[in-house]
Amino acid sequence: MEIKNKVFIVTGGASGLGAGTARMLVAEGARVVLADLQDEAGEKLAAELGQVYVHCDVTQEADGQAAIGAAQKLGSIFGLINCAGVAPASRIVGKNGPHPLDLFQKVVMINLVGTFNMSRLAAAAMSENTPEPTGERGVLINTASVAAYDGQIGQAAYAASKAGVVGMTLPIARDLSKAGIRCCTIAPGIFGTPMIFGMPQEVQDSLAANIPFPARLGRPEDYAKLVNSIITNDMLNGETIRLDGAIRMAPK
């Protein structure tokens, strides 16, 4: 499937991996809807790229439908890239007692349920598309994390949510195969995103030093390159791809 002249939705598109993906898609000639809760950053990037920003809580059906509607005004939706997510840390039993249940629920709601919510709504819209010459009607690209496999201390909620994203990748691809809609997931390692940049510099340097090669933090453009490959290679389906410089996370 070609990217040029296609319509894509990018959740979490106002910053980080989502913003990097939006920039790549626009550079390739796509029309993009940025769906995020960061209104100021989202509107600024949309204005810079000449695209559309929509305020969207991915856990809410009405917000998801609003993002779908905004995209359909631009044309048929052929791609959804789910980058919205949160990564708070808390041990299951810490100094202040057991892991807050509402925190666990929040992480799972945003990272897993939000991903599923947007995927189901986008897939329903894509199923109405006229197929490409390849037979495709669209592609869903979700974001997991190496924490799905190598969750560290304090990452029970985050790892569980991302493992859920990995776990639903193949069944979604199978569900949508007759409609010609693909589903893949990217599992990034340690990337230079607002989450990481909020940490002290020495912590960032330490994290980067643990990556075998290249010994640097991942960049949004690295993620965007893989998104490009998934979109344009119709044989990529039902797979989760680690994008991590060969890192395997230690307990802490």
Side-chain angles (χ1 to χ4, degrees), residues 20 48 57 71 77 79 87 98 110 117 119 122 129 133 152-153 166 185 202 223 242:
E48 175 192 332
D57 178 343
I77 303 169
I110 295 171
N117 181 42
S119 294
N129 290 345
Q152 295 186 290
I153 290 170
V166 172
T185 293
E202 59 269 22
Y223 178 93
R242 289 183 68 130

Side-chain angles (χ1 to χ4, degrees), residues 70-102:
Q72 289 178 320
K73 290 179 181 178
L74 303 177
S76 299
I77 303 169
F78 272 87
L80 168 71
I81 299 88
N82 277 310
C83 295
V86 295
S90 178
R91 295 183 184 228
I92 190 165
V93 179
K95 294 178 180 178
N96 298 318
H99 192 304
L101 183 58
D102 59 349

Side-chain angles (χ1 to χ4, degrees), residues 6-126:
K6 298 292 194 307
V7 177
F8 293 85
I9 299 172
V10 181
T11 72
S15 64
L17 302 180
T21 298
R23 292 182 186 281
M24 178 278 293
L25 292 170
V26 172
E28 293 288 336
R31 288 160 287 176
V32 180
V33 170
L34 307 174
D36 208 310
L37 292 175
Q38 303 176 78
D39 294 339
E40 184 176 352
E43 289 170 358
K44 181 179 179 181
L45 181 59
E48 175 192 332
L49 299 177
Q51 304 300 315
V52 177
Y53 170 75
V54 176
H55 180 92
C56 179
D57 178 343
V58 295
T59 69
Q60 300 301 307
E61 177 156 4
D63 282 16
Q65 291 284 17
I68 298 295
Q72 289 178 320
K73 290 179 181 178
L74 303 177
S76 299
I77 303 169
F78 272 87
L80 168 71
I81 299 88
N82 277 310
C83 295
V86 295
S90 178
R91 295 183 184 228
I92 190 165
V93 179
K95 294 178 180 178
N96 298 318
H99 192 304
L101 183 58
D102 59 349
L103 179 61
F104 188 94
Q105 292 170 326
K106 176 183 177 180
V107 174
V108 171
M109 277 298 295
I110 295 171
N111 294 354
L112 178 56
V113 178
T115 295
F116 180 78
N117 181 42
M118 296 303 298
S119 294
R120 71 188 182 93
L121 296 175
M126 291 174 189

Side-chain angles (χ1 to χ4, degrees), residues 118-238:
M118 296 303 298
S119 294
R120 71 188 182 93
L121 296 175
M126 291 174 189
S127 67
E128 302 297 324
N129 290 345
T130 301
E132 294 285 283
T134 58
E136 294 175 87
R137 287 188 171 89
V139 60
L140 307 172
I141 302 176
N142 298 325
T143 305
S145 166
V146 295
Y149 310 100
D150 312 329
Q152 295 186 290
I153 290 170
Q155 287 190 328
Y158 183 66
S161 69
K162 293 302 189 178
V165 173
V166 172
M168 69 182 180
T169 301
L170 181 59
I172 287 176
R174 287 172 165 172
D175 280 356
L176 298 174
S177 59
K178 288 186 178 180
I181 300 169
R182 296 183 289 122
C183 178
C184 282
T185 293
I186 300 173
I190 303 172
F191 270 63
T193 65
M195 286 188 225
I196 295 294
F197 292 144
M199 299 178 180
Q201 187 61 50
E202 59 269 22
V203 175
Q204 296 181 41
D205 294 342
S206 175
L207 289 170
N210 288 324
I211 303 172
F213 186 82
R216 62 169 175 81
L217 297 177
R219 300 167 182 148
E221 52 264 38
D222 298 322
Y223 178 93
K225 287 177 184 178
L226 184 50
V227 169
N228 188 311
S229 295
I230 293 171
I231 294 170
T232 57
N233 188 336
D234 62 340
M235 200 55 153
L236 281 171
N237 193 17

